[in-house]
Amino acid sequence: MLQMPDFLTLGHVTRDLHSDGSFSLGGTVTFAALTAYHLGLAAAIVSRADQQLIPELSRYLPNIELQIQPSPQSTTFANQYREGFRTQYLHARAESLEISDVPVQWREAPIVLLGPLAQELSPDIVSLFPRRPGTILAATPQGWLRRWDADGRVWPTPWMEAERILPQIDVLILSHDDLLPFADGNRRDADAILHRWSMHVPLLVATDGRHGATLFRHGQTQRFPAYPIDEVDPTGAGDVFAAAFLTHLHKHGDPEQAIDFANCTASFSVEQPGIAGIPTTEKVLQRMNEKKNLTT
């Protein structure tokens, strides 16, 4: 019988292609579940992948409970960088997740994170997890903000279901940059979108890289600085942040403290490539104490 996890995340695990033809395992669910596990929670993933990748997932994701349905192909991304700008391509996409993919025993998990990457989660999946006291239902919507053309090039697309989904969840976490394409690159206009969305969800957190993060509560904002570090690889930092924020929020109930904890956790993740930098709680608390001592 499946044991109910503390932290459940849904979305596609991905093959992230490198220039030499190799790949690393990616996806919001990968980074988020590993972060939750490193922070002391029992974590689980619901996803879809191809028959070759499925047997390898337990090696990439040790100690993570997996419910992976087979798909003809796995979601596969490749990034091209030119003059500091990233162009992203979707080379393959796993089938969308179905409501039946989620084990009944897992549907009352204390923390649930919806982490779509390529429109693989229907808005209807939110109905599986009705809001209840003592639980958190959260989403990182980047996969609902993407479309792709016939060549697989990824483009931004408006989140048409935002105001339908937001009232049904407890927390929305996203990158400030995710909204810039819809605001002609104007940060003030992006903030206006965040402000509007925050009126429909109890907590909204917008990350902004080295600038830290902003907490929106029904239109009211608080900004929290990042931890200064030497960045090596920002891949997955937002997903690490999301899992750390939700973990701390569930344990302690204070969103302001949770953002500082998440900022610190994410600072470790960018210091090493891929999943290698995800820290333990002890490392995070040590860095937070060091920062506190420097400012007192």
Side-chain angles (χ1 to χ4, degrees):
M1 181 176 178
L2 291 172
Q3 297 297 311
M4 185 172 67
D6 303 314
F7 185 102
L8 172 63
T9 182
L10 289 72
H12 281 166
V13 293
T14 66
R15 296 177 184 263
D16 292 346
L17 299 180
H18 303 304
S19 58
D20 62 0
S22 64
F23 77 93
S24 55
L25 190 68
T28 292
V29 295
T30 295
F31 285 93
L34 286 172
T35 300
Y37 171 73
H38 279 273
L39 297 177
L41 300 186
I45 291 173
V46 174
S47 190
R48 291 196 169 215
D50 67 75
Q51 296 279 17
Q52 288 183 312
L53 183 58
I54 289 175
E56 296 292 315
L57 290 178
S58 59
R59 177 170 61 86
Y60 288 109
L61 299 164
N63 304 303
I64 308 297
E65 290 288 334
L66 302 172
Q67 284 291 300
I68 314 296
Q69 298 300 320
S71 179
Q73 51 194 357
S74 294
T75 295
T76 304
F77 285 104
N79 297 317
Q80 296 180 6
Y81 295 91
R82 185 175 180 181
E83 298 178 354
F85 292 96
R86 182 183 79 167
T87 302
Q88 188 172 58
Y89 287 85
L90 179 66
H91 288 302
R93 180 184 178 275
E95 294 173 334
S96 295
L97 273 68
E98 302 288 343
I99 286 177
S100 59
D101 293 344
V102 186
V104 173
Q105 301 95 316
W106 288 3
R107 297 180 187 183
E108 294 187 3
I111 306 170
V112 177
L113 174 62
L114 307 177
L117 291 178
Q119 300 287 353
E120 72 268 30
L121 295 182
S122 162
D124 294 334
I125 208 160
V126 179
S127 65
L128 276 185
F129 310 101
R131 291 165 65 185
R132 305 186 315 278
T135 65
I136 298 174
L137 176 58
T140 54
Q142 60 178 317
W144 288 323
L145 292 163
R146 287 175 174 157
R147 63 177 177 86
W148 47 95
D149 59 25
D151 295 323
R153 182 170 178 176
V154 175
W155 300 93
T157 192
W159 185 18
M160 303 306 294
E161 299 286 348
E163 294 185 10
R164 173 185 168 192
I165 291 176
L166 291 174
Q168 300 181 67
I169 66 175
D170 301 295
V171 184
L172 183 74
I173 304 171
L174 73 165
S175 167
H176 199 278
D177 289 347
D178 288 339
L179 294 182
L180 289 178
F182 311 108
D184 294 324
N186 186 305
R187 289 183 172 273
R188 183 172 296 178
D189 290 347
D191 280 342
I193 298 172
L194 294 168
H195 180 279
R196 185 175 74 249
W197 284 355
S198 77
M199 304 305 291
H200 299 278
V201 62
L203 296 175
L204 187 155
V205 182
T207 60
D208 197 8
R210 60 185 176 83
H211 301 294
T214 303
L215 173 65
F216 290 77
R217 283 187 278 198
H218 300 290
Q220 301 300 310
T221 61
Q222 291 175 272
R223 300 188 185 277
F224 299 81
Y227 282 67
I229 40 81
D230 294 323
E231 182 178 295
V232 173
D233 181 9
T235 305
D239 306 320
V240 171
F241 176 99
F245 176 83
L246 297 171
T247 297
H248 194 281
L249 181 67
H250 187 263
K251 287 181 177 179
H252 304 285
D254 187 324
E256 297 174 25
Q257 292 181 5
I259 285 189
D260 187 43
F261 181 84
N263 273 335
C264 187
T265 306
S267 74
F268 282 93
S269 75
V270 302
E271 291 180 315
Q272 297 185 57
I275 60 177
I278 298 174
T280 62
T281 301
E282 290 73 22
K283 288 184 176 181
V284 176
L285 295 178
Q286 180 180 355
R287 181 168 288 183
M288 292 176 70
N289 286 331
E290 289 171 354
K291 178 185 177 182
K292 183 179 179 180
N293 291 336
L294 287 174
T295 57
T296 56

